[in-house]
Amino acid sequence: MTALAGGAAGGTASAGAGAPGTAGAAGQAPDARTAAFDAAVAAEERIEPRDWMPDAYRATLVRQMAQHAHSEIIGMQPEANWITRAPSLRRKAILMAKVQDEAGHGLYLYSAAETLGTGRDELLDKLHAGRQKYSSIFNYPTLTWADVGAIGWLVDGAAITNQVPLCRCSYGPYARAMVRICKEESFHQRQGFELLMALSKGTPEQHAMAQDAVDRWWWPSLMMFGPPDDESAHSAQSMAWKIKRFSNDELRRRFVDICVPQAEALGLTLPDPDLRWNPDKGENGGHEHGPIDWAEFQAVLKGNGPCNEQRIAQRRAAHEEGAWVRDAAAAYAAKHAAGEHGKAEAA
Amino acid sequence: MSAALALGDDALVLSHRLGQWAGHAPVLEEEVALANIALDLLGQARVLLSLAGDEDELAFLREERAFRNVQLVEQPNGDFAHTIARQLYFSAYQLPLYRELAAGDGPFAPLAAKAAQEVDYHLDHARQWTLRLGDGTQESHARMQRACDALWRYTGELFRPVEGLGVDPSALEQGWLRSVGEVLERATLTLPDGPRSGGWAAGAGREGLHTESFGRMLAEMQHLHRSHPGASW
C-alpha cells in the first residue's frame, strides 16, 4: 500500500489512526464506506487492493484491465507475423524485443487484475470464449513490412495518448503498471516512426509501401479512442471514478494534432481530404478531421473484422496446445512440494 | 573467418527458430523467456557475423549451402518438448565452448565472456523445463523422451573441429555427456543410446549440408531483403 492508501480504505478521517487497510472500513456502514471511497478518489488518493471499493468500481476495473491485457497478448500476433521476415538483423532484434515487451505488459496487467481477485486463467478463458474483448485494431492484418512501422507510429501512438492519463488512474496497481508500460510504448512509437522514415526516404517501392500502410492504419487508429463521447457506454462513470481522465473525443483530438506534423516530417500523407487546421478550435486551435466510419468500427467490434476469427483461433490453439506443458509444470510442482518422486502417481 | 561463421550461424539460426514461437508459447512467461533467449542469440550472431563481414549480407544473401551452422539448431520447433531438448543439447555445448573461448585471447574472447552469462541462463531454463516435462505427467514424460531421442542424432556434430576456432570442441564432449546425462537422469528420462553422428545427413552442417526444412526457413527469412536489392531498412 502506498502512504496515501490508508485514507482510501478507512476514509480520510481515520487516516491518522495508523491502521490503514480494510479493518476500519469493515466496521463502517455501507454509506460511510462509499462516502470514504468517494472522498479518497476526490482527494486524488490511490485505491489499493485491500481497500474497500464499490462492486461496480471493481467490475469496471477488471473489465478494463482484462481488455487491456488481452490487447497486449493478441497484439503480439500481427507484429510477430513479421519477425521471421524482418529485412535486417537490427530490425529483427527491435521487433522481437517489442513483441516480447507486449508479452511483459500482458503479465503486468494480468497481475494487476489479479489484485482485484480475478486470476489470469479466468480472464484467458473469457477471452477465448469471446466474452471479453481486446482492442479492435488488432483485427486488421499486417500485409507488408511497413505495417510494422505504421503500428508502432500510429497504433502505439494512439495507445500512449490513451494510456498516459491512466498513470494517474485512481486504482494504484493499474496506475503503477501503466507508468512502466507507457515508457516502453513511447520507445515503440519512436521505433515505428524511425522505421517509416527509413522507408519513406528509401527506394520508390519502399516509399509506396510506407504510404500504403499509413493509408490502411490511419482510420482504424482514430477508432482506437472509442465511440464519440455522446455514444460511449462506460465513459461518464469512469471519469467520475478517475479511472478515465479525458473523454474519447478529447484524446482523439490530441492524437490528430500530434500526428499531422509527424506525417509531414515523414513525407507521408494522411488519407483524409477533410483534414485541416482550424484556428478557432479549442483554446489554441486544432485539426478538424473527416467523418469516421463508425459502421466499420461496430462491425469489427462485433467480430466481423478481417482477422477476428484468426486472432482468437491462434490464441486458443496456443493455449490448448500448451495445456500439457502447464499440466506438467503443475504436476512437477505438486510432486516436489509433497517431497515424493514417484512419477507413476503424477499422471 | 569460418569459425565466426560457424558460431554466428548457430546463433542466428537458433534465434530464428525461437522467434517462430512468438504468439504461440504454452504460457505467457514462456513468451517472454523464449524471446529473451532468441534476442540473446541474435545479439551474439550480429557480433560474430560482423567479425566475418557485413551481418545483413551474410544473413540475407547467402545460399543455403554457404551456411555453416550445425544441423541441430535448424531443426524445426516441433512441440515444446522438442524446443526444450534442442535448447538443452545446444546450450550445454555452447556454454563450455564460450567459457573456453572467454579464457583465451582470441578474437572471440570478448563476445564469449559476455555471452557465456547469457547462455548460463539459457541452459538453466532448458534444465528446469527438462525436469518439469520429464518428471511431470505421463504425457509430458513421453513427449520429452521422444524429443530427446529424435534430436540425439544431431548432437555428434557439435564436437567436430572448427577451423580457426582456437578451441577443440571434441575436448568438450565428455563434459557435455555428463551434463546432459545428469539432468536427464534427474528428469527420470533415459539418455538416448542411438548413433550421434556418422551418416552425412546427421552432422555435416559445418560443411554446408543442411536438412530439408532449412531451405524453407531461409526462403522466408531472406525473401523481403532479397526482393529489394540494395535497399536500406
Side-chain angles (χ1 to χ4, degrees):
Chain A
M1 305 237 299
T2 65
L4 286 172
T12 43
S14 67
T22 52
Q28 293 178 8
D31 287 354
R33 292 189 305 191
T34 305
F37 171 86
D38 290 345
V41 169
E44 295 288 332
E45 293 173 6
R46 292 279 175 271
I47 308 301
E48 295 296 329
R50 292 165 63 86
D51 297 341
W52 183 87
M53 62 188 82
D55 289 345
Y57 176 83
R58 184 185 298 272
T60 296
L61 276 169
V62 169
R63 180 182 59 76
Q64 181 170 337
M65 288 157 75
Q67 183 167 326
H68 193 164
H70 298 333
S71 300
E72 295 285 355
I73 64 167
I74 294 284
M76 295 170 70
Q77 292 184 27
E79 293 179 279
N81 183 37
W82 282 93
I83 287 177
T84 54
R85 293 176 288 173
S88 74
L89 297 186
R90 174 173 166 264
R91 292 289 177 200
K92 187 172 185 167
I94 290 171
L95 182 56
M96 277 209 282
K98 184 186 176 192
V99 174
Q100 183 192 36
D101 282 347
E102 284 156 7
H105 296 174
L107 278 175
Y108 310 153
L109 289 163
Y110 286 121
S111 300
E114 206 157 349
T115 64
L116 293 168
T118 310
R120 195 202 311 177
D121 290 345
E122 184 184 336
L123 296 177
L124 284 175
D125 286 345
K126 286 182 176 163
L127 170 67
H128 298 154
R131 301 206 329 269
Q132 281 181 340
K133 294 193 186 314
Y134 55 89
S135 179
S136 274
I137 192 80
F138 300 119
N139 291 316
Y140 291 87
T142 47
L143 301 179
T144 74
W145 170 250
D147 289 27
V148 171
I151 288 184
W153 177 42
L154 294 175
V155 175
D156 291 323
I160 294 164
T161 309
N162 263 330
Q163 291 170 4
V164 164
L166 288 173
C167 299
R168 294 191 291 127
C169 164
S170 58
Y171 187 58
Y174 193 27
R176 289 189 289 276
M178 291 317 303
V179 170
R180 193 162 163 187
I181 288 172
C182 284
K183 279 183 191 159
E184 293 180 353
E185 293 289 0
S186 68
F187 201 57
H188 299 163
Q189 194 266 350
R190 286 201 297 276
Q191 289 169 334
F193 182 85
E194 195 253 339
L195 189 163
L196 286 177
M197 185 66 95
L199 294 180
S200 183
K201 295 191 163 171
T203 66
E205 291 79 11
Q206 287 176 307
H207 182 89
M209 195 192 281
Q211 182 62 57
D212 168 62
V214 169
D215 289 348
R216 283 181 288 110
W217 288 92
W218 172 249
W219 290 107
S221 299
L222 292 193
M223 296 175 197
M224 283 177 70
F225 297 93
D229 294 346
D230 49 7
E231 294 168 28
S232 179
H234 304 292
S235 283
Q237 180 62 74
S238 286
M239 300 270 278
W241 277 330
K242 297 190 180 175
I243 295 173
K244 195 175 165 80
R245 298 274 176 172
F246 302 100
S247 78
N248 294 352
D249 288 331
E250 165 61 19
L251 291 167
R252 188 163 21 240
R253 270 195 294 275
R254 285 186 192 187
F255 177 67
V256 172
D257 285 344
I258 290 167
C259 286
V260 168
Q262 292 183 347
E264 278 170 26
L266 284 169
L268 298 171
T269 307
L270 296 173
D272 179 357
D274 299 326
L275 191 63
R276 64 180 179 85
W277 175 256
N278 177 358
D280 301 325
K281 186 167 183 171
E283 284 178 24
N284 304 309
H287 290 89
E288 303 282 2
H289 59 77
I292 293 173
D293 182 356
W294 292 112
E296 174 180 320
F297 176 77
Q298 292 299 337
V300 177
L301 199 65
K302 287 193 171 77
N304 298 318
C307 299
N308 298 57
E309 288 172 24
Q310 176 189 332
R311 300 287 185 242
I312 286 294
Q314 180 179 327
R315 187 83 264 304
R316 267 196 214 129
H319 193 71
E320 285 164 14
E321 285 162 22
W324 70 271
V325 176
R326 298 189 299 276
D327 290 347
Y332 178 88
K335 215 184 286 190
H336 288 267
E340 58 102 336
H341 287 252
K343 72 170 186 260
E345 289 91 347
Chain B
M1 284 297 278
S2 56
L5 283 183
L7 302 187
D9 287 348
D10 282 352
L12 177 72
V13 171
L14 186 53
S15 167
H16 186 91
R17 285 296 190 201
L18 291 167
Q20 292 173 331
W21 271 104
H24 298 275
V27 61
L28 202 44
E29 283 81 355
E30 285 306 300
E31 292 283 1
V32 177
L34 294 172
N36 207 43
I37 298 169
L39 278 165
D40 285 344
L41 290 167
L42 183 54
Q44 295 167 20
R46 295 182 66 192
V47 173
L48 288 160
L49 293 179
S50 296
L51 291 173
D54 179 88
E55 60 175 25
D56 286 335
E57 280 181 25
L58 288 168
F60 295 102
L61 298 177
R62 272 183 300 162
E63 301 288 332
E64 176 176 348
R65 296 277 279 106
F67 276 79
R68 291 289 176 262
N69 54 284
V70 290
Q71 292 178 356
L72 174 66
V73 295
E74 75 203 31
Q75 295 311 304
N77 288 337
D79 65 4
F80 189 68
H82 278 75
T83 291
I84 291 300
R86 185 181 64 196
Q87 200 65 48
L88 176 72
Y89 288 166
F90 184 73
S91 297
Y93 150 81
Q94 203 190 26
L95 181 60
L97 177 66
Y98 277 177
R99 282 185 174 152
E100 286 280 320
L101 290 169
D105 55 4
F108 304 121
L111 175 272
K114 175 173 178 287
Q117 296 172 25
E118 298 167 354
V119 180
D120 201 11
Y121 160 77
H122 305 171
L123 180 58
D124 184 53
H125 175 263
R127 278 183 172 144
Q128 294 299 327
W129 271 115
T130 300
L131 293 175
R132 279 155 184 76
L133 300 182
D135 194 14
T137 65
Q138 253 175 10
E139 180 183 3
S140 70
H141 178 85
R143 282 178 184 258
M144 194 61 202
Q145 186 66 58
R146 270 202 298 278
C148 290
D149 292 349
L151 293 169
W152 187 249
R153 63 198 299 253
Y154 299 104
T155 59
E157 185 184 9
L158 296 169
F159 307 103
R160 291 199 183 176
V162 176
E163 191 191 331
L165 185 60
V167 166
D168 178 11
S170 69
L172 306 173
E173 187 162 12
Q174 287 310 310
W176 182 91
L177 277 169
R178 272 197 306 280
S179 156
V180 169
E182 183 260 349
V183 68
L184 293 191
E185 186 184 343
R186 276 180 60 206
T188 74
L189 295 161
T190 307
L191 193 70
D193 60 0
R196 301 179 51 230
S197 61
W200 70 267
R206 297 274 189 241
E207 286 82 55
L209 290 171
H210 295 281
T211 47
E212 287 186 343
S213 68
F214 186 55
R216 285 192 297 279
M217 191 205 100
L218 281 188
E220 182 177 345
M221 183 174 105
Q222 297 182 337
H223 153 258
L224 178 59
H225 184 97
R226 284 178 181 263
S227 298
H228 297 262
S232 303
W233 299 96

